[in-house]
Amino acid sequence: MSVLDNGVIWLSGTEGKVGRTTDYGAHWEWITVPGYDTCDWRSLVAFSDKRALLLNAGEPAHLMLTIDGGVSWKEVYTDHTKGVFFDGMAFRNAREGIAIGDPINGRFTVIRTNDSGNTWQQDPVDASPIAKEGEAIFAASGTSVRVMPGGQACFITGGTSSRFISGWKQWTPVEWNFTHGSPGTGAFSVAFADKKHGVAVGGDYTKDTLTTGNCLITQDGGRSWKPVVTPPRGYRSCVQYIGHDTYVATGTSGTDISEDGGLHWYKISKQGYHVAGVTPDGKRIWLAGSKKLASFGAFKL
């Protein structure tokens, strides 16, 4: 999900589907990207009501650009490498963006653009972050890869190991006490309020009511992480910063709010969603799940 000013929201999902509204959801346009109806679009970055980028999770990888509101699409990057699987995409400014995928031969895959997504280049293998055995990134909501305030990128991992890894050209891994050990466990989403304060959520998507090790916070820009006092009420696939120390987190077993920087969470909905988005002014929270239009919601704060 990508939420912009003036009522513009883009959504993407399975079977090549893309949705767009320009009036805060009163009316939606739904399309299937022609020729890509088998793609699962897990990464979406929108720049306006006309310009947006889509990246699928899975093999082969396709990165698509539209400049006319989805009427037409151009493939600006493709990768047929065996095992390629991109998990997230983020931009540090209007021109510089990055996308990161699961490890191939022990190294995470990193591609980047310097021209607003028109062309992409893969980083040299020896410059890409080293992965641990069985470590991967989750593409559940497209928010496992972020650009932090200040311009550095970060991504979070799970599986047999879970870490916070940040950088841009060079990467620094941080060990933390997030739940891990099996393919369905780990950190799924991260969000920052400013250069120092951030929240990461996740858990075990196969046991989505467990709360052990499903949320950590940082107060030093990601150099260290600590557990929260009252965690979200289960596995959460997406966390978003709203403003004034407030975050929202959602997952298949419900939606939670924290109003103290992530230390304490309380459930605001039993309805499960996959992704959340916040308007730039922080006044509306959008939630999307698997129930088609009935699963979209908005809270006015």
Side-chain angles (χ1 to χ4, degrees):
M1 182 188 295
S2 194
V3 181
L4 306 177
D5 288 312
N6 303 319
V8 177
I9 305 167
W10 290 74
L11 287 170
S12 63
T14 59
E15 298 178 348
K17 294 289 193 301
V18 184
R20 186 188 70 136
T21 179
T22 58
D23 55 10
Y24 292 106
H27 303 88
W28 287 88
E29 301 173 80
W30 294 96
I31 65 165
T32 300
V33 180
Y36 297 86
D37 57 354
T38 62
C39 285
D40 187 357
W41 304 120
R42 297 288 187 92
S43 302
L44 165 65
V45 174
F47 302 90
S48 70
D49 63 331
K50 302 295 185 183
R51 185 181 181 89
L53 287 161
L54 290 173
L55 177 60
N56 69 308
E59 177 188 338
H62 303 287
L63 211 166
M64 310 297 296
L65 170 67
T66 182
I67 59 174
D68 56 13
V71 176
S72 63
W73 296 85
K74 176 184 178 183
E75 187 171 73
V76 292
Y77 180 83
T78 186
D79 191 339
H80 290 267
T81 303
K82 183 174 176 57
V84 67
F85 193 103
F86 281 98
D87 300 278
M89 173 174 53
F91 275 70
R92 70 195 303 188
N93 53 48
R95 295 185 61 83
E96 297 177 281
I98 198 167
I100 303 176
D102 284 344
I104 297 176
N105 297 323
R107 298 269 187 170
F108 290 99
T109 304
V110 180
I111 62 173
R112 64 182 73 232
T113 179
N114 293 300
D115 59 6
S116 303
N118 290 291
T119 62
W120 294 77
Q121 300 78 39
Q122 183 173 341
D123 280 5
V125 172
D126 59 2
S128 299
I130 299 173
K132 292 186 177 183
E133 182 70 28
E135 183 182 23
I137 310 170
F138 291 107
S141 65
T143 56
S144 57
V145 177
R146 294 279 203 177
V147 168
M148 304 159 63
Q152 292 288 86
C154 68
F155 65 98
I156 54 179
T157 67
T160 57
S161 298
S162 181
R163 296 185 294 169
F164 172 84
I165 302 173
S166 63
W168 190 258
K169 293 291 188 179
Q170 296 181 327
W171 300 91
T172 302
V174 173
E175 304 286 343
W176 59 7
N177 292 321
F178 224 100
T179 186
H180 64 275
S182 63
T185 59
F188 282 70
S189 180
V190 63
F192 278 83
D194 52 40
K195 291 182 179 180
K196 291 185 177 181
H197 300 89
V199 172
V201 301
D204 185 345
Y205 74 80
T206 68
K207 301 174 183 177
D208 66 359
T209 59
L210 295 182
T211 62
T212 304
N214 72 338
C215 183
L216 298 177
I217 63 172
T218 182
Q219 297 173 330
D220 58 11
R223 290 190 294 272
S224 65
W225 296 79
K226 65 180 184 179
V228 302
V229 178
T230 306
R233 302 302 195 271
Y235 155 75
R236 298 294 179 257
S237 58
C238 186
V239 61
Q240 297 284 8
Y241 174 66
I242 301 171
H244 306 292
D245 294 324
T246 302
Y247 293 82
V248 61
T250 194
T252 52
S253 61
T255 302
D256 306 272
I257 285 279
S258 171
E259 297 177 313
D260 58 4
L263 280 173
H264 299 85
W265 294 83
Y266 61 90
K267 184 176 282 191
I268 58 173
S269 173
K270 294 181 180 180
Q271 177 67 48
Y273 298 92
H274 301 314
V275 66
V278 180
T279 52
D281 61 10
K283 292 184 177 179
R284 291 180 174 88
I285 305 168
W286 292 89
L287 305 170
S290 58
K291 301 293 186 182
K292 298 184 179 181
L293 288 177
S295 68
F296 301 123
F299 296 96
K300 291 185 179 180
L301 301 182

